[in-house]
Amino acid sequence: MAPEARIKVFLKTSATALCAGAVALSSFSLGAEAARRHYRSHHHHLPELPAAPPRALPYPQLPLPLEIPGAQYLPLAWADVKGWGDDNHLAAYKTFRASCRPINAQTTGAPEPKALGASLGEPCRVAKSLELTDDARAKTFFEENFAPLRISRLGEPDGFVTGYYEPVLEGSRTQTDVYNVPVYRRPSNLFVRGYKQDSVSLPNKGPVYRKIGRRKLVPYYDRAEIEDGKIAGRGLEIAWLKDPTDLLFAQIQGSARIKFDDGGTVRLNYDAYNGYPYTAVGRILIERGIIPKEEMSMQKIREWMAQTPDGAKELRRQNRSYIFFREVNLSDKEEAVGAQGIPLTAGRSIAVDKSLHVYGTPFFIEGELPIDSERAKTPFHRLMIAQDTGSAIIGPARADLYFGAGQDAGRVSGRLRHAMHFVMLVPKSLDPTTRGARLPVPDPRPSEKIAKLFPQTEPAKDKPPAELQSKSETVAVAGPVPLPVPRPVIEPVQEPRRPVKNRSHRQQ
């Protein structure tokens, strides 16, 4: 066989092997070029063939639309946001502006690895220069600086909301026969990897350890062990309460006000937890058939626990998670401090999943809630600001609505477990519609000629190689396109040298 013919057969064999899938078309030119170079290294007398031009990357390095793990979202027009025009936008603007204080105070550093990242900085800089006093201008501010995005968990049509509040409890500074339930501050032997033991803020997720000596770490005590006195007598008591149910609900809410007989008050905020996941006691009562799901509320749980003290003790211990508090310097007129580090706003602040969302993000929440009574369907369409978090708040469209302090706020928040529509307000710099429009379309489909040369087929069994089959003998591939097979190694054919007479050689 002539050398040129061998080249053609060799290149065709290599191309067939490399082009077993459409994804391998770009690799063919490179593989063919490598084959040419390999062959020409053994056949110096052949003419040089032109090299295939390098194939450009299919997509340039452009910012992609935002991505929130486990979420599905749909860009909307403001006119399509149901109830948007009926809200008090000025109240929402004031709450958002409060969140902007810590955002504007942040020094430049690595952006948060979340969908919004540091994008709230620009709307916050605009808000800093605006002292708005009317609702229309506040509404315009949000419409000019944000884009609405309907969001929910993947595969679900709506989000889900619950409520929380700040309990106001009776207590004592010292232990008595009446007040004998301790409220503990964070123990000094509680340790979280990556944090100092005296860190101001510890995570509310992940493992927590107890140090034994200098090196040994073991899981921290669970609720049952702490209730049985494992850390008693170490001077960790901030105050004493009457009822362990009061302590449980203060821990679930993450804050509390304790009023003393002498008229004094101590304000408590979440400081740390013991490393065990939160278990909802209400869900256990539903699963055991004690309280029907449609009747479940914090008030129902309280009533059952008061009527069944032994059962209440066992139920509490099903939730092995235990919260430690710290005292905060707040007056009775101020609201509890959220995880963002600023006082919350009743009716405007929400707790969100901190692993997905950035504090300060506005969420418009719309639907019906039992605000006025247990069976009421009060229209709720309100712009809320993410300023807090909680270990039970998990998912892209999951929020805990803050209703303030006291019994009335507790009654309202205790009966909320409802599906609602979520619209996240995304800064214009991250508008997925705008970003998506800038992305190039995929490369065009191969021409008909290329498709015929490299069909997505595989040879039938007991058939000759693909290069010897006729077009009608190819068998269509069912299912996904196969990956390219490794290129076969073909050794060059060494032809015997012919003796040459009367030729002199000179080596350099």
Side-chain angles (χ1 to χ4, degrees), residues 258-275:
I258 301 180
K259 293 186 175 295
F260 301 124
D261 291 339
D262 59 6
T265 303
V266 63
R267 300 290 298 278
L268 304 179
N269 256 43
Y270 171 94
D271 190 35
Y273 89 127
N274 64 339

Side-chain angles (χ1 to χ4, degrees), residues 180-198:
N180 56 8
V181 178
V183 181
Y184 287 122
R185 62 173 48 89
R186 187 202 309 177
S188 59
N189 66 342
L190 186 145
F191 180 78
V192 179
R193 292 186 188 276
Y195 292 83
K196 295 182 179 179
Q197 286 177 277
D198 58 352

Side-chain angles (χ1 to χ4, degrees), residues 180-225:
N180 56 8
V181 178
V183 181
Y184 287 122
R185 62 173 48 89
R186 187 202 309 177
S188 59
N189 66 342
L190 186 145
F191 180 78
V192 179
R193 292 186 188 276
Y195 292 83
K196 295 182 179 179
Q197 286 177 277
D198 58 352
S199 295
V200 176
S201 178
L202 292 180
N204 61 356
K205 295 179 182 179
V208 176
Y209 302 98
R210 175 168 51 94
K211 265 192 171 183
I212 299 178
R214 292 186 176 182
R215 295 179 178 273
K216 188 175 181 180
L217 296 176
V218 296
Y220 207 79
Y221 301 119
D222 68 2
R223 176 177 293 274
E225 292 174 306

Side-chain angles (χ1 to χ4, degrees), residues 367-396:
E368 294 179 339
L369 292 175
I371 302 294
D372 299 330
S373 66
E374 288 188 6
R375 299 188 179 276
K377 294 183 178 180
T378 308
F380 189 95
H381 33 68
R382 194 173 298 182
L383 186 58
M384 316 287 281
I385 311 300
Q387 297 179 330
D388 204 359
T389 190
S391 58
I393 312 303
I394 301 173

